[in-house]
Amino acid sequence: MKKTSVFVVIFIFLLIGCNSNLSEEEKKALWDNAQTQGEIVRRSGTPFSLATDKDLAMSDAQNRLRTGGGLMGKKASFSFLGENKDSSSQSTSIGMPINPYLWKASLETINFMPLSSTDPFAGTIITDWYTAETNQGERCKLNIFINGKDLKTENLKVSSFCQTLKNNQWVNTPSKIEDNAKLENVILNGAKKLKLTSG
């Protein structure tokens, strides 16, 4: 624990001790306010980063701490790319039913797009509409589906949806299968590199 965290904890205990008339709710509020977001995320074991997606990281961290973490009601039991060396392969497979390399590579590949929703247990990543600065008249969003634990092509599917602006209205354009396939290849290559570097 860092010196700052130790100081904050000691300060809170002193404050609570000096204010023995405080209700349990007020004491809890003081304690909650003393915990930094980084500390909450670190203690929870969430695989999400505050730098990547603050809301998702905090939501997942608080849920894990509230429920005891993970699917089994214990400390978060799955590791992302071997970050948690203590977890067994059995608990990893229970915790995350999809390939973690495909999941991480997908998020890294589309990190420039706003996320609408992500579910690592269902293996779904849905982005919001994204418009490139170089082409304000077109916008696209993606649905990425990951199935299974193996790192193979058939366990990854990308669907894109694009619209063009005509007469101040967004009009759907046909999805390009070859563009979806190119994006799948980029994600697969990224996943293979992640696997090699983590091994």
Side-chain angles (χ1 to χ4, degrees):
M1 191 180 285
K2 295 179 180 176
K3 289 182 181 178
T4 308
S5 300
V6 173
F7 173 75
V8 170
V9 171
I10 292 170
F11 176 74
I12 291 300
F13 279 120
L14 288 174
L15 190 61
I16 290 172
C18 294
N19 293 283
S20 55
N21 295 333
L22 291 175
S23 69
E24 287 301 314
E25 288 181 4
E26 289 171 322
K27 290 177 183 178
K28 183 180 182 306
L30 279 172
W31 175 252
D32 288 345
N33 289 336
Q35 300 182 72
T36 65
Q37 290 181 338
E39 183 67 7
I40 291 171
V41 167
R42 186 191 65 75
R43 285 188 299 108
S44 71
T46 178
F48 303 107
S49 166
L50 283 171
T52 307
D53 191 330
K54 183 179 177 183
D55 293 337
L56 179 62
M58 285 302 296
S59 172
D60 187 66
Q62 288 168 344
N63 184 53
R64 285 169 183 278
L65 292 172
R66 194 168 39 247
T67 63
L71 288 176
M72 309 307 287
K74 298 176 182 175
K75 186 178 177 183
S77 61
F78 66 88
S79 66
F80 267 57
L81 310 181
E83 290 167 7
N84 182 2
K85 301 295 182 188
D86 297 331
S87 65
S88 67
S89 59
Q90 183 179 6
S91 66
T92 301
S93 63
I94 290 172
M96 192 171 187
I98 61 167
N99 186 279
Y101 303 106
L102 286 174
W103 177 260
K104 188 169 174 84
S106 297
L107 288 174
E108 287 181 356
T109 302
I110 61 163
N111 64 6
F112 60 93
M113 299 181 78
L115 295 177
S116 177
S117 69
T118 58
D119 186 346
F121 299 104
T124 58
I125 300 170
I126 300 172
T127 74
D128 208 341
W129 291 108
Y130 171 77
T131 302
E133 290 183 14
T134 54
N135 188 2
Q136 295 291 316
E138 184 178 27
R139 65 180 187 177
C140 296
K141 64 180 179 179
L142 300 172
N143 290 353
I144 300 175
F145 303 99
I146 302 167
N147 299 303
K149 297 175 190 171
D150 297 327
L151 203 172
K152 43 188 191 177
T153 308
E154 52 265 34
N155 285 346
L156 176 69
K157 178 169 176 51
V158 174
S159 298
S160 61
F161 307 90
C162 293
Q163 295 179 335
T164 54
L165 190 61
K166 292 181 180 176
N167 300 323
N168 292 327
Q169 287 189 332
W170 289 105
V171 180
N172 292 333
T173 58
S175 180
K176 296 179 181 176
I177 298 171
E178 61 272 16
D179 288 347
N180 295 342
K182 284 177 185 175
L183 189 52
E184 287 172 0
N185 287 333
V186 170
I187 293 171
L188 283 163
N189 289 333
K192 289 172 185 174
K193 286 177 184 175
L194 286 170
K195 186 174 182 179
L196 285 172
T197 55
S198 70

